[in-house]
Amino acid sequence: MKPIRTRTVRAIAVAITAGSLALTGCSSDSGKDNSKDNSKSKDDAAAQSTPVAYGDAQASNGPAEAVAGAKTGGTINVYQQSDLTHMDPGQIYVSDAGQFANLVHRGLTNFQEDDKGNLTVVGDVATDSGKSSEGGKTWTYTLKDGIKDEDGNVITSADVRHTIERQYAKFIFDGPTYVQNWLSGAEYRKALPDGPYKGKHLPDSVLETPDAKTVVFHFKTAQPDLPQALAMAGYAIVPEKQDTKEKYDKAPASLGPYKVAEYKAGKSVTLVKNTQWDPKTDSVRHQYVDGYNFSNTIDQASQTKRLIADQGEAKNAIQFTDSVDPAQLSTVIGNAAAKKRTIQGYQPYVWQLSFNLDSAKMKDKKVRDAITYAIPNQSMVQADGGRYGGEVAGGLMAPTLPGFDSTYDPFGKLKKPNGDPAKAKALLKEAGFKEGTKLSYAYSNTPRGQAQMVIIKDALNKLGFDVQAKEIDRATFYEQVGKLKNPYDLYMTGWGQDWPSPGTVITPVYDGTQVADGSPNYSHINDKQVNALIQKAVTQEPEEAAKTWEEAHHRIVEEINPGAPVYYSKQIQLYGSNIGGARYSTESSYIDINDLYLKKP
């Protein structure tokens, strides 16, 4: 998943029992040692890769376990820098929209997180996390009673089928593609090019709805990760009666505890209680507050300043997917009262400088390697919060993934974290580099994106390039660089696993068979050997597959280099003093949106 536009992080894997996760909520602070380094480490990150359980019907029954001390009433203010990327579930694969989805949408399954951060996949609209048969090739889901949309329409298996089949339509281009690929192959759109909108459906041998309460998925190969995939916001239910196709992105129908009361494009979103939501059917969410007011025009610096001051409406406010402004981080860490109102965690995202391999200027690997050596990784980390914002990356796999190798560093970034310009210039000389070569660098118009642009532009200009910086609005950044025929040479992108498997990074981002408009394969890498290794890994048992994924990772980084590893991401967010239930979510890698309430409504 992308970090703002993060493809939403899904920190899960199949296991019999859930392990303990070390990340905690707000850190305690006596005020006597505010300068102490409380930033998260790779040990914390490793804890997030712990496998989780698949829940049965009992675990899937509502209501969700009550939050100690929670009260009802009041409205939470949400600070955002820009509009939500999407509200249509089929288009959701980014962190801000993923957080929003927890409030409004529901899928067949979901992630249940306890107060220690342990995760269990449970039934959401379904009665459990799913029943597999035929060695994992067939998965059957039974729907709960009493699930309705905001207008009182009962959700049936036809709505689930409609949700899956609309993902095949061309106007759905920005969401996950796991289930479609598993059902119909890499060219899945050919199986149902118009989606369900012209009366055609996938055959029962692929997707079956024998009655109003039952949905059966039939795969050609075992898909043990289906419960995790279905828990992604991108597969949340779109009721057939409510579907308005492209228009649904601006006015979605709710199945969750809150519904959209008002949406002002680029400015605000108002959520109020969905009276059709029944807590008895939901083991994950709460409906403590009366609603949420999203202000989508407050930049990161202003968010941080307001929350540090903690006055008036800011006492009831949260940062949604933005972080503490790096320029004000020392103030937050040095202020005991403010520091107590932070949540921290190690995110699953790896920031990389993606090379557009379709660009003539990026064809020569020596040029790509030169740029990679030249990047001052540590400066990039400092610009995003220093030790509280991230750590220098050696490869493209995050520390939150199982089997992470902390010693892997083919470009020597651990020894030279601010780059090796001499090595870079030598490689450019070998490549016959022409001084003054123009490079088009696309960046998001966020504080992070702007800071990254300044650093990258300076480093590459010093090599002799003429970097042309191209600003893109944050809300559409990944959409623009996700176009196959985009006009840019390189761009900074971030990606995190959809659950703790290297396959949820390597497959969507580096599988050449999935190169398409809207695909997260931003470099357009299409290497036969990598593609073969991916196909091999998905048929292997986890232990055996881990070696294949590692081989694929090494080939991608060392022999192809479609994207320069820059840094692993961490999170630190602020919230107001009247916010209760605040803690870091290992599932979303942001503030846990499901447990919030107001101490004084």
Side-chain angles (χ1 to χ4, degrees):
M1 74 196 181
K2 310 164 192 173
I4 207 51
R5 163 358 188 240
T6 330
R7 303 258 180 188
T8 301
V9 176
R10 300 298 178 186
I12 51 182
V14 185
I16 301 301
T17 57
S20 174
L21 295 176
L23 294 180
T24 59
C26 60
S27 55
S28 61
D29 194 314
S30 66
K32 295 180 181 180
D33 186 20
N34 296 331
S35 62
K36 182 180 178 182
D37 183 0
N38 297 125
S39 61
K40 297 301 177 180
S41 69
K42 288 188 177 70
D43 290 337
D44 296 305
Q48 287 179 248
S49 69
T50 304
V52 305
Y54 278 179
D56 57 14
Q58 183 175 354
S60 306
N61 289 334
E65 184 176 348
V67 177
K71 299 178 181 180
T72 59
T75 300
I76 289 178
N77 300 314
V78 178
Y79 292 160
Q80 281 266 91
Q81 295 187 64
S82 62
D83 214 347
L84 292 166
T85 48
H86 289 290
M87 292 192 287
D88 181 336
Q91 304 279 39
I92 293 177
Y93 210 167
V94 185
S95 54
D96 64 330
Q99 281 280 73
F100 167 84
N102 275 318
L103 298 170
V104 174
H105 299 307
R106 298 182 70 176
L108 280 174
T109 60
N110 204 342
F111 304 113
Q112 185 184 76
E113 185 169 346
D114 68 16
D115 59 2
K116 293 186 176 73
N118 299 320
L119 295 169
T120 302
V121 184
V122 295
D124 191 359
V125 168
T127 55
D128 54 31
S129 57
K131 292 182 172 64
S132 66
S133 56
E134 296 185 88
K137 292 182 181 180
T138 298
W139 283 85
T140 302
Y141 288 89
T142 303
L143 304 189
K144 293 176 180 176
D145 296 326
I147 305 290
K148 301 177 182 179
D149 67 26
E150 64 182 55
D151 292 330
N153 300 307
V154 176
I155 300 301
T156 70
S157 62
D159 296 304
V160 179
R161 182 185 65 190
H162 180 81
T163 296
I164 298 299
E165 291 180 339
R166 75 192 294 270
Q167 299 273 35
Y168 287 64
K170 291 181 180 179
F171 77 90
I172 298 292
F173 59 87
D174 224 11
T177 62
Y178 291 108
V179 177
Q180 303 94 294
N181 274 279
W182 294 342
L183 288 171
S184 305
E187 296 184 332
Y188 65 88
R189 291 193 193 275
K190 292 182 179 180
L192 201 65
D194 298 307
Y197 299 106
K198 293 187 177 180
K200 293 184 178 181
H201 299 287
L202 295 171
D204 285 352
S205 59
V206 174
L207 183 62
E208 185 181 3
T209 51
D211 57 55
K213 304 287 283 186
T214 307
V215 180
V216 186
F217 294 85
H218 296 285
F219 303 104
K220 293 180 180 179
T221 58
Q223 300 299 342
D225 290 350
L226 181 66
Q228 291 96 297
L230 291 175
M232 298 175 69
Y235 294 111
I237 306 301
V238 175
E240 185 172 10
K241 292 179 181 178
Q242 303 279 28
D243 190 0
T244 53
K245 298 179 72 174
E246 290 91 341
K247 295 179 181 179
Y248 198 76
D249 211 12
K250 305 302 180 187
S254 171
L255 275 67
Y258 298 93
K259 64 181 181 180
V260 178
E262 184 180 51
Y263 169 62
K264 294 182 179 179
K267 295 181 179 180
S268 63
V269 183
T270 302
L271 301 184
V272 297
K273 284 186 175 181
N274 174 14
T275 57
Q276 297 294 333
W277 175 77
D278 185 353
K280 294 178 182 178
T281 69
D282 199 325
S283 65
V284 176
R285 305 169 185 83
H286 299 286
Q287 198 184 50
Y288 290 132
V289 298
D290 295 330
Y292 289 80
N293 288 335
F294 285 68
S295 297
N296 298 335
T297 59
I298 305 175
D299 63 38
Q300 187 179 23
S302 296
Q303 292 178 23
T304 305
K305 186 175 182 180
R306 292 186 190 187
L307 288 167
I308 291 174
D310 195 41
Q311 298 295 312
E313 52 86 25
K315 291 184 178 181
N316 294 350
I318 62 171
Q319 288 189 298
F320 199 56
T321 51
D322 291 309
S323 306
V324 169
D325 175 28
Q328 301 177 67
L329 187 55
S330 60
T331 301
V332 173
I333 299 303
N335 181 323
K339 189 176 180 182
K340 286 181 180 179
R341 292 187 285 107
T342 63
I343 60 99
Q344 295 181 50
Y346 212 113
Q347 295 189 304
Y349 308 125
V350 179
W351 284 99
Q352 61 179 280
L353 183 61
S354 293
F355 303 117
N356 183 349
L357 299 182
D358 289 335
S359 164
K361 299 169 187 176
M362 294 291 103
K363 293 289 187 184
D364 193 329
K365 182 177 181 292
K366 289 181 180 178
V367 173
R368 302 196 298 273
D369 286 352
I371 292 173
T372 303
Y373 277 110
I375 295 172
N377 298 51
Q378 187 58 45
S379 294
M380 300 286 274
V381 172
Q382 288 303 121
D384 201 14
R387 64 181 184 268
Y388 288 89
E391 290 184 79
V392 170
L396 297 168
M397 301 288 105
T400 53
L401 279 168
F404 171 75
D405 181 1
S406 62
T407 66
Y408 185 64
D409 184 29
F411 291 99
K413 293 296 182 175
L414 297 180
K415 292 183 178 179
K416 294 185 177 182
N418 271 317
D420 190 342
K423 177 77 170 178
K425 289 180 179 179
L427 283 168
L428 288 177
K429 186 176 181 180
E430 290 178 25
F433 171 69
K434 293 182 180 180
E435 190 86 15
T437 296
K438 293 184 184 297
L439 288 182
S440 178
Y441 174 77
Y443 70 98
S444 171
N445 66 341
T446 62
R448 172 193 281 151
Q450 291 164 346
Q452 291 174 342
M453 179 272 291
V454 171
I455 295 168
I456 292 296
K457 185 175 181 179
D458 179 66
L460 300 191
N461 282 348
K462 287 179 178 177
L463 290 181
F465 289 103
D466 180 4
V467 178
Q468 308 291 307
K470 306 293 184 180
E471 182 178 283
I472 299 177
D473 182 71
R474 158 178 158 155
T476 64
F477 175 78
Y478 281 92
E479 180 181 336
Q480 298 304 316
V481 301
K483 292 180 179 179
L484 272 181
K485 294 185 178 180
N486 76 69
Y488 314 114
D489 298 310
L490 61 172
Y491 22 83
M492 191 69 64
T493 62
W495 188 269
Q497 73 249 24
D498 291 312
W499 53 87
S501 166
T504 65
V505 175
I506 292 176
T507 303
V509 186
Y510 308 106
D511 186 347
T513 68
Q514 298 191 28
V515 175
D517 280 333
S519 165
N521 185 333
Y522 300 113
S523 66
H524 313 150
I525 175 179
N526 187 4
D527 179 73
K528 290 183 179 179
Q529 189 171 329
V530 170
N531 297 347
L533 288 168
I534 290 171
Q535 291 307 308
K536 179 181 178 182
V538 298
T539 65
Q540 295 175 315
E541 293 299 316
E543 186 173 333
E544 189 179 13
K547 298 176 183 177
T548 306
W549 291 125
E550 182 179 30
E551 183 181 351
H553 178 216
H554 285 201
R555 175 165 176 78
I556 291 166
V557 176
E558 299 167 38
E559 299 178 49
I560 303 168
N561 190 13
V566 183
Y567 65 99
Y568 308 124
S569 182
K570 298 181 188 179
Q571 180 61 278
I572 178 168
Q573 293 181 296
L574 265 171
Y575 57 89
S577 60
N578 196 36
I579 297 291
R583 62 170 182 157
Y584 182 80
S585 168
T586 59
E587 189 274 318
S588 71
S589 78
Y590 297 99
I591 192 169
D592 191 333
I593 202 69
N594 293 318
D595 290 350
L596 300 181
Y597 65 91
L598 293 179
K599 298 174 184 177
K600 296 180 181 180

